[in-house]
Amino acid sequence: MPKTHPLTTVDAAWLRMEDPTNLMMVSGIITFKKLIDFDHLRAVIEHKLLTFDRFRMRVVQSRLPFSPAYWEPDPTFNLNAHLHRVALPSPGDKAALQEMASDLMSTPLDFSKPLWQFHLIENYGEGCAIMCRLHHCIADGMALVFVLLSLTDMVPGVPPPTASDVSVEKNEAAEGSRMLNSLVQQGAKAVGTVWETTSKVASESLEALVNPAHAMELALKGTDTALAAGRLFLRSPDPKTLFKGKLGVAKRAAWSHPLPLRDVKKIKNVTGSTVNDVLVSAMTGGLRRYMLSKGANVEGLNFRAAVPVNLRTPEQMGELGNKFGIVFLSLPVGIGDPLERLHEVHKRMVELKNSKEAPVALGILSAMGMSPNELQGTLVRLFGSKTTAVMTNVPGPPMPLYLAGQKIEGLMFWVPQSGRVSLGISILSYANKVFLGVATDAGLVPDPNEIMEGFYTEFDALMALVHEAEAVAAQEEATKAAKSTAVSVEMAASPSPSADAATHPDQCQATTKSGRQCRNRPLDGSDFCRVHQAKSG
């Protein structure tokens, strides 16, 4: 049985930031076209998820002053308290699922038990969905993806695990960790450039997942780390917009239909940008459209999105806990032209290259975990004043996966909007598709689907550029083909000396009725024989 141990300072920071109006939960939705067997799912969770000790442990606040909270095994652990089976009300469509997901995102976890729950949601069309929630003090978003991957299979028809499998799974834990790490890396490679925001620092590129220690190296070997910390605190506050205000308990969630990754790449190739540039620019346009629909002024408007950056090494990919930093991306909401906005987003992404803010922000989070409550509250407010949204991006596996015997059709997740931020934006790739999600405070943005509709409009505008480029290329190809055909016809119609004339200059140059060169010898001083000389005369 695992022993008690204190929370790390970063994990403690997320625990302390818990607030009824801003729950510190990482939430995920998994959808299926077919119904999952509940007993099969229970066996998967029991024999795979619970191999992570922390899912059997609860957080206990120390009774001693200034002593840290600590993890201890839950003496009355019962899986039934964490795994629930519910039915989606009629009509069982996406709108109903979003409503239920929103309610669960607004409901706190039970702090007397391990801080996680799974809900199997039946009656979602012909299939079902799973809503998973875990507290941020257990793990961050990247770790959650790793946990979810650990529950899946790469082929259908795998039977439920049994008690006899547990010892085998523990013996093979290291090998499984390596396989899952490889799977995460393949996901990053499939998306291509997922966060070129900070190039080698951010979690877009394959190097960022494989070698995030480079981020720490950037901070430690330079002398301007203090300047990076200073920039975090000395930045002017974000402008007041309809996305900022007093938060309430109720939250709202919406997510997109799957976008083919090939379409995003087409836009990337035509515009000279990156996959991430395209998605961020279109979402920025969606936010702009939402503000305009509410009569808000967007002229020259820019506001920041806090972007979590993975700082794990390959060896740490299987570990729970929090190990990420934050960079700030300024979103050009004031630019209306989709192509101009895309170019500006790309420019700002490049400017964040090799930023030292990510590891600095990790240090600030650590300090928040150690500071007294009053000081921590000040830091949270200060941190939150610098940003309007939290924007996360996780490259998932490029191939379909199976959970409890059924194929996963779609994935979406949200991290908490720490620092009293009301707007969360998530981007996730899976099986060569891209999913985007929006989480909002219900009092400030009651219907995030309006933002998603604006995103679709902006994405379609960028796709129109692709269609225009394809049409121009097709026209150029058709013109080239027409010119080639015209030249061929002209050459075929032009008279040319016969092959025989070219090879037999000592014969009559006339052509017989059969189309061949006359074989007679020409008269002296003439090109023709006696017969054809007479005809020509």
Side-chain angles (χ1 to χ4, degrees):
M1 180 66 69
K3 299 179 180 179
T4 63
H5 58 272
L7 275 71
T8 67
T9 54
V10 178
D11 293 348
W14 291 105
L15 184 67
R16 287 183 171 186
M17 282 189 282
E18 177 81 10
D19 183 278
T21 66
N22 205 352
L23 302 177
M24 295 295 104
M25 291 188 304
V26 181
S27 304
I29 279 281
I30 313 171
T31 58
F32 306 82
K33 285 189 174 180
K34 293 184 179 180
L35 187 63
I36 279 182
D37 180 78
F38 183 75
D39 291 335
H40 193 160
L41 176 63
R42 181 186 177 88
V44 168
I45 291 176
E46 182 177 4
H47 299 301
K48 290 188 176 182
L49 182 69
L50 297 186
T51 60
F52 295 91
D53 291 337
R54 194 162 293 182
F55 287 91
R56 291 180 177 270
M57 305 182 80
R58 64 184 182 181
V59 176
V60 180
Q61 297 287 353
S62 175
R63 296 180 180 179
L64 299 176
F66 307 111
S67 295
Y70 58 92
W71 297 101
E72 74 167 12
D74 182 359
T76 60
F77 178 81
N78 186 341
L79 183 55
N80 293 332
H82 301 272
L83 180 57
H84 306 279
R85 183 180 188 178
V86 297
L88 199 63
S90 185
D93 56 6
K94 183 179 179 181
L97 181 59
Q98 288 184 158
E99 186 71 21
M100 180 171 286
S102 299
D103 289 343
L104 288 171
M105 288 177 65
S106 308
T107 304
L109 295 165
D110 184 351
F111 274 73
S112 69
K113 300 177 175 63
L115 297 173
W116 63 274
Q117 282 191 344
F118 276 62
H119 284 76
L120 175 61
I121 305 172
E122 300 178 349
N123 196 40
Y124 177 50
E126 297 297 319
C128 63
I130 293 176
M131 178 83 175
C132 52
R133 299 182 298 149
L134 71 139
H135 200 278
H136 214 307
C137 70
I138 295 179
D140 55 35
M142 181 60 71
L144 172 62
V145 171
F146 186 94
V147 168
L148 292 178
L149 289 177
S150 73
L151 306 182
T152 64
D153 302 299
M154 298 181 67
V155 294
V158 176
T162 62
S164 60
D165 299 326
V166 174
S167 59
V168 176
E169 289 174 1
K170 288 185 176 180
N171 290 336
E172 297 179 348
E175 179 62 26
S177 178
R178 286 192 290 270
M179 291 177 64
L180 286 170
N181 181 45
S182 174
L183 194 61
V184 173
Q185 293 176 17
Q186 291 180 54
K189 189 179 296 183
V191 174
T193 50
V194 180
W195 269 122
E196 203 149 301
T197 307
T198 54
S199 183
K200 296 179 180 180
V201 179
S203 60
E204 176 187 41
S205 64
L206 180 62
E207 181 178 355
L209 285 174
V210 174
N211 186 27
H214 178 60
M216 304 302 290
E217 177 189 349
L218 288 171
L220 295 175
K221 75 178 183 181
T223 60
D224 56 348
T225 304
L227 293 177
R231 284 196 297 269
L232 284 175
F233 285 100
L234 296 178
R235 277 195 179 98
S236 61
D238 252 3
K240 296 292 184 181
T241 65
L242 52 78
F243 298 118
K244 281 186 168 292
K246 186 177 180 179
L247 303 183
V249 172
K251 307 302 174 185
R252 292 289 180 267
W255 57 90
S256 72
H257 58 66
L259 301 173
L261 186 57
R262 64 177 180 274
D263 287 349
V264 185
K265 288 184 175 180
K266 285 180 180 179
I267 298 173
K268 169 187 79 78
N269 294 336
V270 167
T271 59
S273 57
T274 69
V275 167
N276 190 67
D277 294 341
V278 172
L279 298 172
V280 171
S281 181
M283 181 55 74
T284 302
L287 297 173
R288 171 189 169 88
R289 286 180 174 272
Y290 180 82
M291 294 185 69
L292 288 173
S293 71
K294 305 303 179 184
N297 180 20
V298 298
E299 184 67 27
L301 178 63
N302 295 272
F303 58 66
R304 302 184 191 97
V307 182
V309 176
N310 175 48
L311 294 177
R312 282 180 171 82
T313 63
E315 295 76 22
Q316 295 170 328
M317 286 300 293
E319 298 177 3
L320 297 181
N322 291 271
K323 186 139 189 184
F324 68 96
I326 296 173
V327 295
F328 292 87
L329 172 65
S330 180
L331 303 178
V333 181
I335 300 178
D337 180 78
L339 184 57
E340 182 184 350
R341 186 192 315 116
L342 176 55
H343 288 158
E344 182 62 24
V345 167
H346 177 70
K347 175 185 174 183
R348 296 182 185 188
M349 294 282 197
V350 173
E351 289 174 351
L352 284 176
K353 182 178 181 180
N354 288 337
S355 168
K356 296 177 178 62
E357 290 179 357
V360 170
L362 178 65
I364 293 172
L365 286 171
S366 179
M368 288 169 59
M370 295 184 292
S371 64
N373 289 340
E374 295 79 6
L375 176 58
Q376 185 201 346
T378 301
L379 289 171
V380 168
R381 288 190 294 273
L382 179 65
F383 214 64
S385 70
K386 310 296 183 182
T387 185
T388 297
V390 174
M391 181 179 290
T392 56
N393 184 308
V394 174
M399 74 291 289
L401 296 177
Y402 301 83
L403 177 58
Q406 297 299 336
K407 180 182 176 182
I408 296 174
E409 286 297 320
L411 289 171
M412 181 41 58
F413 78 104
W414 296 269
V415 299
Q417 286 73 258
S418 54
R420 307 299 185 266
V421 176
S422 69
L423 180 62
I425 299 169
S426 303
I427 303 173
L428 175 71
S429 67
Y430 165 66
N432 291 319
K433 295 174 286 189
V434 179
F435 300 83
L436 289 93
V438 178
T440 62
D441 183 88
L444 298 176
V445 181
D447 188 4
N449 278 302
E450 294 184 30
I451 297 176
M452 292 307 313
E453 291 300 325
F455 166 81
Y456 292 141
T457 300
E458 293 293 331
F459 187 82
D460 289 344
L462 292 174
M463 277 302 299
L465 298 176
V466 173
H467 298 323
E468 181 180 340
E470 290 175 342
V472 170
Q475 181 62 43
E476 290 177 350
E477 193 66 29
T479 301
K480 182 179 179 180
K483 287 182 178 179
S484 178
T485 301
V487 170
S488 299
V489 171
E490 182 179 350
M491 292 178 62
S494 300
S496 60
S498 67
D500 287 339
T503 56
H504 303 287
D506 56 340
Q507 292 180 194
C508 175
Q509 298 300 299
T511 302
T512 65
K513 292 181 178 180
S514 65
R516 297 184 178 182
Q517 183 181 357
C518 175
R519 294 179 179 276
N520 295 333
R521 294 183 62 82
L523 296 176
D524 292 339
S526 174
D527 291 331
F528 303 101
C529 66
R530 185 183 304 278
V531 175
H532 291 105
Q533 178 68 34
K535 290 183 178 181
S536 64

